[in-house]
Amino acid sequence: MTWSNPLIPQRADPQITLVDGRYWFTASVPSYDAIEIRAADGIAGLARAPTKVIWRAHDSGPASFHVWAPELHRIDGRWYVYFAASERDDIWKLRMYVLECEGADPLTDGWVERGQIATPEEGFSLDATPFEHGGKRFLCWAQKSPPTESNLYIAELANPWTLKTAPAVITRPNLAWERIGFCVNEGPALLKRNGKVFIAYSAAATDANYCMGLLWADENADLLDPKSWHKSPTPVFTTDESASQFGPGHNSFTTTPDGKADLLVYHARNYRDIVGDPLNDPNRHTRVQAFGWRADGFPDFGTPVADGPYSL
């Protein structure tokens, strides 16, 4: 397999998922006002695949601004998109929402809003990612907790858009590298292997300090118990100035079609200095590279690769 990095320019918070031999892609669009998806038979094909806008922000009120970090999932044979959006008159009133496809083809069939995912605490919430484990379906997401922290929460789901259990905090940004610019843990992405449940996440401000951290729990542990989770004391994927890759993060995971190679999907910029608010800089590009596993069963993400052709 060969493709070129960046795979898709100006697409932050990327998610690539492999379903029935086909790759599906979604990400934040630079205008933050719509959700688009595309599909292809290979990773390289995603760069050329036509996009389909499946939903646009409302004109006002809830879900009218800052449409961020969509994720496309097929759950029990149905397609869903999880995303965050705020209100035009209150741009940090971010909440999580769910769309459901009315048919079997996300590119041609209609989509309906299933509504907001209600959480007990006030404060912005975003980056929802669902996953199945041990016969149960869970949701992990980021949510603001007073005074200024963004923590990761987990809960069991009653259905794809409704929490079944009280949320539990599984990590807070309590390490120095998670608190540069802002105190942030966000963008969770699940990986299961070698008897463990891993959650990669992103930390710090969305500039060159942005990086990935790693949580893990035993596969037989109670995932709703915060004590089940452990955190790497150091980041696991960071800026590499020698490769001109800055602020890598908000990742997802997929594999090659044969499942023999694991792939890390993430965004990064190819320059350090940003004028103004990093969120207004559109040049967080989607990138894909393979990663391996250490002898102790933990993932080894390596370092970001330089721009250009990439082959497995």
Side-chain angles (χ1 to χ4, degrees):
M1 294 181 69
T2 301
W3 57 87
S4 184
N5 277 316
L7 180 71
I8 303 174
Q10 296 192 341
R11 290 298 182 271
D13 315 320
Q15 187 220 17
I16 296 177
T17 184
L18 178 63
V19 179
D20 295 339
R22 200 174 193 204
Y23 288 99
W24 295 83
F25 173 84
T26 189
S28 297
V29 299
S31 53
Y32 300 142
D33 62 356
I35 295 173
E36 64 175 30
I37 61 175
R38 65 180 80 179
D41 293 334
I43 294 291
L46 289 173
R48 304 182 298 272
T51 60
K52 170 70 173 181
V53 174
I54 63 167
W55 181 88
R56 293 189 183 276
H58 297 176
D59 292 335
S60 61
S64 61
F65 204 73
H66 275 173
V67 179
W68 284 350
E71 288 195 8
L72 176 67
H73 294 269
R74 192 169 70 172
I75 300 172
D76 297 331
R78 304 288 292 179
W79 289 94
Y80 297 90
V81 165
Y82 292 74
F83 68 99
S86 64
E87 300 188 13
R88 188 170 298 277
D89 296 329
D90 188 352
I91 64 173
W92 292 108
K93 195 174 182 180
L94 280 163
R95 298 295 184 268
M96 301 178 292
Y97 298 90
V98 179
L99 307 177
E100 182 178 359
C101 184
E102 295 179 292
D105 189 340
L107 291 170
T108 60
D109 292 322
W111 288 79
V112 294
E113 296 183 16
R114 289 304 182 199
Q116 180 184 327
I117 300 176
T119 61
E121 291 189 21
E122 285 297 318
F124 68 68
S125 55
L126 68 163
D127 297 348
T129 190
F131 66 95
E132 184 278 332
H133 185 69
K136 299 178 180 179
R137 196 161 296 281
F138 298 89
L139 190 75
C140 187
W141 72 95
Q143 186 158 343
K144 183 179 178 180
S145 176
T148 58
E149 293 182 347
S150 172
N151 309 317
L152 289 190
Y153 289 72
I154 193 171
E156 189 179 345
L157 285 169
N159 61 42
W161 57 89
T162 308
L163 301 186
K164 181 178 180 180
T165 62
V169 179
I170 57 174
T171 177
R172 300 179 186 274
N174 54 8
L175 301 175
W177 52 272
E178 301 174 306
R179 304 174 69 87
I180 301 174
F182 296 97
C183 303
V184 172
N185 286 172
E186 65 180 14
L190 187 95
L191 190 62
K192 295 196 286 186
R193 190 72 60 85
N194 302 327
K196 292 182 174 62
V197 178
F198 297 99
I199 292 179
Y201 65 95
S202 297
T206 56
D207 54 18
N209 294 296
Y210 206 54
C211 61
M212 282 169 46
L214 188 68
L215 306 173
W216 66 91
D218 185 271
E219 65 179 0
N220 297 315
D222 178 3
L223 299 187
L224 299 179
D225 183 353
K227 295 179 182 177
S228 298
W229 292 94
H230 312 276
K231 180 160 66 172
S232 171
T234 57
V236 294
F237 199 63
T238 63
T239 286
D240 187 342
E241 193 161 359
S242 67
S244 295
Q245 300 300 314
F246 299 90
H250 205 115
N251 75 289
S252 62
F253 297 110
T254 189
T255 68
T256 52
D258 59 11
K260 293 183 178 179
D262 293 296
L263 302 178
L264 174 65
V265 183
Y266 63 98
H267 72 230
R269 294 184 178 90
N270 60 9
Y271 52 86
R272 176 184 293 275
D273 296 329
I274 301 168
V275 177
D277 188 338
L279 288 175
N280 296 327
D281 180 295
N283 295 317
R284 292 179 291 175
H285 306 320
T286 294
R287 305 172 187 279
V288 182
Q289 64 188 73
F291 68 94
W293 295 85
R294 304 187 326 219
D296 62 2
F298 280 69
D300 181 357
F301 298 122
T303 60
V305 297
D307 288 351
Y310 180 85
S311 298
L312 290 179

